[in-house]
Amino acid sequence: MKYVCSACGYVYDPDIGDPDGGIAPGTAFADLPDDWVCPVCGADKDQFYPEG
C-alpha cells in the first residue's frame, strides 16, 4: 500500500522505497524506521496517510 504525505503530497511507494534515504525497494511503510521523514519536505512519518 502507498502512503501520502499530508504536508506536501509526496507518495511513498514500497515497490520503490526511498533509495536516496537508504530505504530498499520492497520496504513496507510500517517497516520504515521511526525516525524516517518525508524526503521532500521533512515531515514525520505520522504525517502520512494510506492512499485511497
Side-chain angles (χ1 to χ4, degrees), residues 1-18:
M1 176 178 290
K2 297 177 184 178
Y3 281 75
V4 182
C5 177
S6 62
C8 74
Y10 167 81
V11 177
Y12 176 78
D13 184 342
D15 291 338
I16 297 170
D18 177 16

Side-chain angles (χ1 to χ4, degrees), residues 19-35:
D20 293 339
I23 305 299
T27 302
F29 187 81
D31 294 333
L32 291 172
D34 290 338
D35 62 352

Side-chain angles (χ1 to χ4, degrees), residues 20-47:
D20 293 339
I23 305 299
T27 302
F29 187 81
D31 294 333
L32 291 172
D34 290 338
D35 62 352
W36 181 84
V37 295
C38 177
V40 174
C41 73
D44 290 334
K45 188 175 167 186
D46 64 3
Q47 298 293 310

